[in-house]
Amino acid sequence: MPADSPFQAFDLFPTEALLPTLLDLATNGIVLCTPIYAPAGTLADLALTYLNPAAQRLLRLPAQPSGTFTQLFADGRPNGSWPALHHALQTGEPGHFAVIHALEGTPHHLHVISQRVGGGLLLSFTEAAQPPEGCDPKLGTEAALRDSEARYRTLFESIDQGFCLIEVLFEGAQHPVDYRFLEVNPAFERQTGLQEAVGRTMRELEPLHEQHWFDIYGQVALSGQPVRFEQRAEQLHRWYDVYAFRVGEPERHQVAILFSDISQRRQAEEALRQREQQQAFLLRLSDQLRPLADPAHIQYQAACALGQYLGASRVGYAEDQGDQAHLVVTCNYTQPGVPSIEGRYLYDDYGPALLQAFTAGRTVVRPDIAHDPTLTDQEKGAYAALQLGATVDVPLRKDGQLIAVFFIHYVHPHAWTDHELNLLEETAERTWAAVVRARTEAALRESEERFRVMADAVPQIVWITDGEGRTEFFNRQWSRYTGVPYELSSAAAVATAFVHPADAAHTMEAFQEARRTGTVFEVEHRIRAADGSYRWFLVRAEPFRNPLSGQITRWFGSSVDIHDRKQVEEALRRSQERLQKALSIDTVGILFFDMQGCIHDSNPAFERMSGYAHARLASSQVYLDTLTTPEFSAVTRQSLQELRSTGESTPLEKQYRRPDGTHWWGLSAGKRLSETECVKFVLDITEAKRAEAALRHSEQELQRFNKQLTRTNQDLDNFVYAASHDLKQPVNNLSGLFEELYRSIRFLDPEEEQVLVPLIQQALQQLGSTIDDLAALGQAQQAGQAPAETVALVELTEEVLTLLEPQMRAARARITTDFAAYPTVTFPRVNLRTVLLNLVSNSLKYADPQRPARIHISVWVDDGLPVLVVEDNGLGFDANKYGEELFHLFRRLHQHTAGSGVGLYLVNRIVQANGGRIEVDSQEGAGATFRVWLGRLQPGQ
């Protein structure tokens, strides 16, 4: 809008909204034109870019017509309007002129104002009541007529619809009998197939043309009322959409007809209607078959439905017998009065081509059997015996093999339509699919039942989940073991509810990893039994994948009870631990060798005794003879033979030879471990042999010494024979023997006495301490073997306190008891005595020297279990820091007093072996409280 325009309210009336509104609301016709220039740069024409609603109504044109100004106003150049347009576009000054626009043969006078806007031209049209001044009315009328004629002819020649102008011929005044074609357009022949129709009547072209066509056009010619209708012309074999209206004077009986061939549309509609009907039938059929489980019933119901829908006389299925010769009709629908044909039939009775067609998968259609040229008289007779006038047989094949034939029969000949044949094939496929489904489901149910019986028969827990871990099946063993009936759940829920809390998280991590990688799921975990106990299971599951997508859809798993195996493994582990501890004993040498005496392993004690490095002994190049002095080679071989024959060897004293040539004495005994391996235990008795030589000067002392030595040897034999059993007595005997000898003899050399006696005493003390520890460990291993009995706590406590009376006096101890909650308990008495003795002994041993010891012994009940409590006010310790280590073997927290670190280990092993547990609370300087759960043992257990 120009800057000097009086309108400045742009904020209130934005330009982008104002212009469309003005164009839409304007009552005069507004046409926006785009100049079209000639190559020379002169104005050649104007393109009609946009017509507002008023212009569209005035000029009867769309908003964006395809024509130009000169095409719309052909007289624009001769009547002087073109110079006015050119002037307005060049100067920008408004121009005024008049034009004539013909509408339906009638001239309309229009007044036009032109105004340049930017690079385009705006034309404002208003209708003038009189011809504009200076305009020749005759010239305008002629131009309008020429324009109308040109437009009519163009329309007449170019439209796709058929058009004809006819004269209706009457017999009398009211009865139309024919019509003559006065004019036809080019599309007429394409739409009707009638050629050279102008001047000829319809009866001449198609004598059998239906009368109703003449009646309709006669009514239009007489009444003048136009009519539109759709009708089939049977003689032309076409459907038409017709619009007929009278033209000219009524007495001329002329009717213009505009029509379109809609045969394809009607055929499509009819096909659609038939398809919809068939689809409705197929949907009803599917709904009818879906709940059925019996294959024979499915076939019969489908045959009934199709027979009733098509009005067939007989419909059914025949199953191929796989012998290239026979088929069996199992069930069939028949109309009243039509016999059933259930039975066994030969293909050859109906012609050899029948089986060939079925095998190739071709549908066999016979619309008129009696006149079928492909059949012999004999074959026609076979059909006639079944009262067949027309048949369709649809073969059903799976994986290239003929399975069955779906047939439909009519007593009389029947012309099959494509829609009927398609329906037959679709029904056959759907019905057979339903039959296959029913058979598959029945087989699946049978398979599932067999699987369930098999799964319930196996001793393991068998289970199935879907791909996400939702449970679908647990066999009977699950409910028997857990005591809980199976119900739908998930892997996570089962792990939470039944798997040991220490194993649940690891189980789910392993399952999620198996799902992620698609590998086998395998884990060992504990599952809670019905009585609340836990047993170890090996859980393993294989993934099952969808054959098409490859996605995991099922997990098939089993849980195998491996609790006994785990216990054996644990026992083996403990045995190995004990063996390693035995191998680590400093005073007993141990050798492993084969049946030929080839050494392949040893413990450090023997390496220290023999002077051989472990690598040398483990090289399988050193033999027992290598270690033995020549004079003992024979007895060494004899001992080896004894091992081969009896499995063990008699304890043997012999002299060994070190790599440096020095000799030492050893007491040894062997045991065969397997068919190929033996073990030998060796004690270094060199010092004893030296003492024996030193005492040989006195026959009496020598005899006594030999007697004691023999006893000692016997004790050592027992130790070697059972290294993990009670070895304390032989050592005690050896210690007593030495003391007796020491009191009874005199050393000739005092310096030798000062060296030898302390050395022997120290070795015996060390050996005794070691054997005490071994005995304690042996007691711990056998802690669970003693029988349970009813123990009176008061009597047992008095017995223990009597033994500890010296320690009590030393610690100024005052000991109180309270057994009111549980005066007697069921427990192995000897084990309970050991537990109480160790706990009270520790309380006295680690009493605070700054104050008298106070110890309280009591029993209280926790969930039906007796709990023995020992509380003291001694030195205490940091239980949070050392609690887990407290019960470890050889672990001591206080070094100011003697001890071996075995007592609490022994207590813990005894308690655990009898089904209990032990807890401790303590702080440094505040004493300690030990709580012992004694388990649920009954007398005789």
Side-chain angles (χ1 to χ4, degrees):
M1 187 172 288
D4 57 352
S5 172
F7 179 79
Q8 296 296 326
F10 298 111
D11 294 338
L12 187 60
F13 299 97
T15 304
E16 61 273 11
L18 179 62
L19 179 58
T21 303
L22 289 175
L23 290 173
D24 290 343
L25 298 180
T27 57
N28 57 316
I30 303 296
V31 180
L32 302 181
C33 302
T34 301
I36 299 175
Y37 293 99
T42 59
L43 182 65
D45 206 342
L46 294 171
L48 306 181
T49 305
Y50 171 75
L51 279 68
N52 75 336
Q56 295 172 36
R57 292 191 296 271
L58 185 62
L59 302 177
R60 308 287 176 85
L61 293 174
Q64 293 179 314
S66 58
T68 64
F69 182 86
T70 58
Q71 292 172 345
L72 183 62
F73 304 105
D75 60 342
R77 294 183 184 273
N79 68 9
S81 61
W82 188 254
L85 291 172
H86 188 272
H87 178 77
L89 189 61
Q90 292 294 324
T91 64
E93 297 177 355
H96 299 264
F97 56 90
V99 295
I100 298 175
H101 182 53
L103 294 175
E104 298 180 353
T106 304
H108 288 258
H109 302 280
L110 304 175
H111 180 260
V112 185
I113 301 176
S114 60
Q115 174 68 56
R116 188 180 71 191
V117 178
L121 196 64
L122 183 148
L123 305 180
S124 174
F125 288 83
T126 54
E127 192 167 10
Q130 297 295 329
E133 184 178 353
C135 181
D136 185 354
K138 181 179 179 181
L139 180 62
T141 300
E142 292 176 351
L145 289 175
R146 289 194 305 273
D147 182 66
S148 177
E149 176 67 21
R151 288 175 181 275
Y152 171 77
R153 181 53 55 185
T154 300
L155 177 64
F156 185 77
E157 298 290 342
S158 61
I159 60 175
D160 291 332
Q161 291 175 298
F163 177 82
C164 63
L165 181 63
I166 65 172
E167 176 189 358
V168 182
L169 305 178
F170 289 87
E171 186 179 82
Q174 299 292 326
H175 182 58
V177 294
D178 203 350
Y179 53 82
R180 179 180 289 107
F181 294 100
L182 303 178
E183 188 174 5
V184 298
N185 73 336
F188 176 86
E189 290 187 3
R190 295 194 302 272
Q191 298 277 357
T192 65
L194 301 176
Q195 298 180 353
E196 299 179 358
V198 176
R200 303 172 68 183
T201 68
M202 189 63 192
R203 293 289 189 188
E204 294 177 40
L205 298 172
E206 287 292 344
L208 300 180
H209 195 53
E210 296 90 339
Q211 177 61 37
H212 57 76
W213 292 96
F214 306 117
D215 294 339
I216 293 172
Y217 297 148
Q219 184 64 29
V220 173
L222 294 175
S223 68
Q225 295 296 322
V227 62
R228 182 161 193 161
F229 62 94
E230 290 184 3
Q231 187 67 46
R232 177 173 173 80
E234 292 294 339
Q235 300 304 310
L236 302 181
H237 308 292
R238 306 189 188 196
W239 277 89
Y240 291 101
D241 179 7
V242 182
Y243 179 64
F245 55 94
R246 188 176 67 187
V247 295
E249 300 301 325
E251 61 272 14
R252 300 177 65 182
H253 297 163
Q254 293 185 358
V255 176
I257 305 172
L258 190 64
F259 62 92
S260 296
D261 183 353
I262 60 170
S263 299
Q264 290 185 349
R265 192 198 78 192
R266 290 301 296 257
Q267 290 173 357
E269 291 175 350
E270 178 63 18
L272 178 61
R273 182 187 65 80
Q274 291 186 5
R275 283 198 300 271
E276 290 176 346
Q277 290 179 347
Q278 291 180 0
Q279 286 301 317
F281 166 76
L282 292 173
L283 288 174
R284 291 194 303 271
L285 178 64
S286 296
D287 292 339
Q288 185 177 355
L289 301 183
R290 188 175 297 110
L292 303 180
D294 180 16
H297 194 43
I298 290 174
Q299 292 176 335
Y300 180 71
Q301 290 298 322
C304 291
L306 185 63
Q308 293 167 3
Y309 180 74
L310 295 179
S313 59
R314 185 186 296 117
V315 181
Y317 275 89
E319 295 195 17
D320 181 79
Q321 299 304 294
D323 58 1
Q324 298 291 309
H326 296 87
L327 75 167
V328 174
V329 178
T330 55
C331 58
N332 55 99
Y333 158 82
T334 60
Q335 285 183 338
V338 177
S340 174
I341 59 171
E342 292 184 7
R344 186 180 181 90
Y345 295 88
L346 273 171
Y347 285 112
D348 287 347
D349 290 345
Y350 306 93
L354 187 65
L355 179 58
Q356 295 174 5
F358 290 166
T359 305
R362 296 194 303 272
T363 298
V364 178
V365 181
R366 300 192 187 280
D368 187 357
I369 293 176
H371 301 89
D372 192 329
T374 65
L375 297 175
T376 66
D377 291 341
Q378 183 179 358
E379 292 165 355
K380 291 179 181 179
Y383 280 107
L386 301 179
Q387 299 183 14
L388 301 183
T391 67
V392 173
D393 297 308
V394 181
L396 297 169
R397 301 196 314 159
K398 298 299 178 185
D399 300 325
Q401 297 296 320
L402 178 64
I403 304 298
V405 177
F406 182 67
F407 60 83
I408 181 167
H409 297 165
Y410 283 87
V411 174
H412 304 289
H414 180 80
W416 305 96
T417 67
D418 290 340
H419 294 293
E420 288 177 325
L421 295 177
N422 291 335
L423 179 62
L424 295 182
E425 293 178 351
E426 180 68 20
T427 302
E429 287 292 339
R430 290 198 179 196
T431 305
W432 192 252
V435 169
V436 172
R437 171 188 57 79
R439 290 176 176 173
T440 302
E441 290 175 352
L444 179 60
R445 287 192 298 271
E446 182 180 355
S447 175
E448 288 178 346
E449 184 60 27
R450 288 198 301 268
F451 169 77
R452 187 179 299 277
V453 172
M454 180 194 69
D456 287 340
V458 299
Q460 295 85 13
I461 295 173
V462 178
W463 51 269
I464 302 173
T465 74
D466 65 9
E468 302 297 322
R470 290 180 287 267
T471 60
E472 295 182 348
F473 172 79
F474 269 97
N475 70 340
R476 190 178 301 163
Q477 305 308 326
W478 169 260
S479 298
R480 288 177 177 173
Y481 177 76
T482 62
V484 177
Y486 166 67
E487 59 184 17
L488 294 176
S489 183
S490 66
V494 171
T496 301
F498 296 97
V499 177
H500 194 285
D503 305 332
H506 172 65
T507 296
M508 290 309 301
E509 289 174 0
F511 182 61
Q512 297 302 336
E513 179 66 13
R515 286 183 58 206
R516 185 184 68 80
T517 60
T519 55
V520 174
F521 165 56
E522 186 171 325
V523 72
E524 292 182 2
H525 64 206
R526 289 161 287 182
I527 302 177
R528 192 184 71 237
D531 61 1
S533 63
Y534 286 89
R535 292 182 66 85
W536 281 97
F537 284 80
L538 170 61
V539 183
R540 193 175 190 277
E542 291 277 355
F544 176 79
R545 299 179 183 274
N546 184 303
L548 299 179
S549 66
Q551 296 295 317
I552 295 176
T553 58
R554 294 288 186 280
W555 289 92
F556 292 87
S558 65
S559 301
V560 181
D561 190 329
I562 59 170
H563 194 76
D564 294 339
R565 191 199 79 188
K566 294 287 285 189
Q567 287 184 323
V568 171
E569 291 176 350
E570 177 63 18
L572 178 60
R573 184 189 63 80
R574 293 177 180 177
S575 176
Q576 290 174 341
E577 289 180 355
R578 290 194 296 269
L579 176 60
Q580 291 301 320
K581 291 174 182 177
L583 292 176
S584 65
I585 297 175
D586 291 338
T587 56
V588 180
I590 302 176
L591 278 177
F592 295 93
F593 52 94
D594 61 21
M595 302 304 292
Q596 284 70 43
C598 180
I599 300 171
H600 58 77
D601 202 359
S602 61
N603 74 336
F606 185 80
E607 294 157 13
R608 186 173 57 257
M609 295 174 185
S610 65
Y612 280 85
H614 180 268
R616 177 80 183 280
L617 293 174
S619 66
S620 298
Q621 296 179 356
V622 178
Y623 287 77
L624 293 178
D625 284 346
T626 308
L627 306 177
T628 308
T629 57
E631 59 269 25
F632 288 97
S633 295
V635 294
T636 300
R637 289 190 293 272
Q638 181 180 355
S639 176
L640 189 59
Q641 179 60 37
E642 192 176 4
L643 282 172
R644 295 191 191 103
S645 58
T646 67
E648 58 185 50
S649 65
T650 304
L652 171 67
E653 288 184 10
K654 71 174 184 178
Q655 200 171 47
Y656 291 84
R657 180 173 52 195
R658 296 188 179 96
D660 61 2
T662 60
H663 296 175
W664 60 282
W665 282 90
L667 173 62
S668 65
K671 185 80 173 178
R672 189 175 66 198
L673 300 178
S674 67
E675 294 298 324
T676 60
E677 186 178 31
C678 299
V679 63
K680 178 171 286 192
F681 299 90
V682 183
L683 285 177
D684 186 347
I685 60 171
T686 302
E687 297 299 328
K689 297 296 272 185
R690 289 176 181 173
E692 180 184 354
L695 297 175
R696 195 173 287 117
H697 67 281
S698 174
E699 182 177 356
Q700 183 179 1
E701 283 77 10
L702 179 60
Q703 292 176 352
R704 293 178 60 194
F705 180 84
N706 286 338
K707 184 178 180 180
Q708 293 297 329
L709 183 60
T710 301
R711 185 180 303 162
T712 301
N713 287 341
Q714 182 62 46
D715 293 338
L716 290 175
D717 290 343
N718 293 334
F719 168 79
V720 174
Y721 179 77
S724 60
H725 294 76
D726 187 8
L727 301 178
K728 188 173 183 180
Q729 188 60 41
V731 175
N732 289 339
N733 293 342
L734 185 62
S735 179
L737 173 63
F738 177 75
E739 292 297 330
E740 181 66 23
L741 289 174
Y742 184 61
R743 286 193 301 269
S744 303
I745 65 174
R746 295 290 182 269
F747 284 87
L748 299 178
D749 186 353
E751 294 182 358
E752 183 180 10
E753 178 182 4
Q754 293 177 358
V755 174
L756 183 60
V757 171
L759 183 63
I760 294 175
Q761 289 176 335
Q762 181 180 1
L764 289 173
Q765 181 179 2
Q766 182 179 6
L767 181 60
S769 177
T770 301
I771 292 176
D772 285 342
D773 291 345
L774 288 175
L777 294 179
Q779 183 180 359
Q781 297 297 335
Q782 301 174 3
Q785 300 177 5
E789 55 187 296
T790 301
V791 181
L793 293 176
V794 173
E795 295 177 4
L796 182 67
T797 303
E798 290 177 355
E799 179 182 336
V800 169
L801 296 183
T802 299
L803 293 173
L804 298 175
E805 185 176 356
Q807 293 92 321
M808 292 170 57
R809 287 197 304 271
R812 297 172 294 162
R814 181 165 64 87
I815 300 178
T816 59
T817 62
D818 181 6
F819 303 131
Y822 228 113
T824 62
V825 296
T826 301
F827 205 84
R829 191 178 193 283
V830 63
N831 290 344
L832 186 57
R833 178 180 179 277
T834 300
V835 170
L836 186 59
L837 179 63
N838 273 280
L839 294 178
V840 177
S841 175
N842 279 352
S843 294
L844 294 172
K845 184 184 300 185
Y846 301 114
D848 190 337
Q850 303 300 321
R851 57 177 179 263
R854 296 292 181 264
I855 303 173
H856 182 65
I857 309 171
S858 62
V859 173
W860 47 275
V861 181
D862 178 27
D863 193 22
L865 291 177
V867 181
L868 177 65
V869 182
V870 178
E871 304 171 84
D872 65 53
N873 65 341
L875 294 174
F877 55 90
D878 188 345
N880 292 330
K881 181 177 181 181
Y882 299 108
E884 294 184 359
E885 306 176 17
L886 186 63
F887 301 103
H888 290 182
L889 185 62
F890 305 133
R891 184 68 172 94
R892 300 184 63 217
L893 302 183
H894 298 285
Q895 305 297 329
H896 68 281
T897 184
S900 63
V902 175
L904 287 180
Y905 171 80
L906 176 61
V907 169
N908 189 43
R909 291 301 300 271
I910 290 174
V911 172
Q912 289 183 344
N914 288 279
R917 71 179 191 275
I918 185 168
E919 294 181 355
V920 60
D921 291 330
S922 181
Q923 294 181 2
E924 292 184 2
T929 298
F930 287 82
R931 290 181 291 276
V932 181
W933 276 258
L934 297 179
R936 299 180 182 270
L937 293 174
Q938 298 298 321
Q941 286 185 317

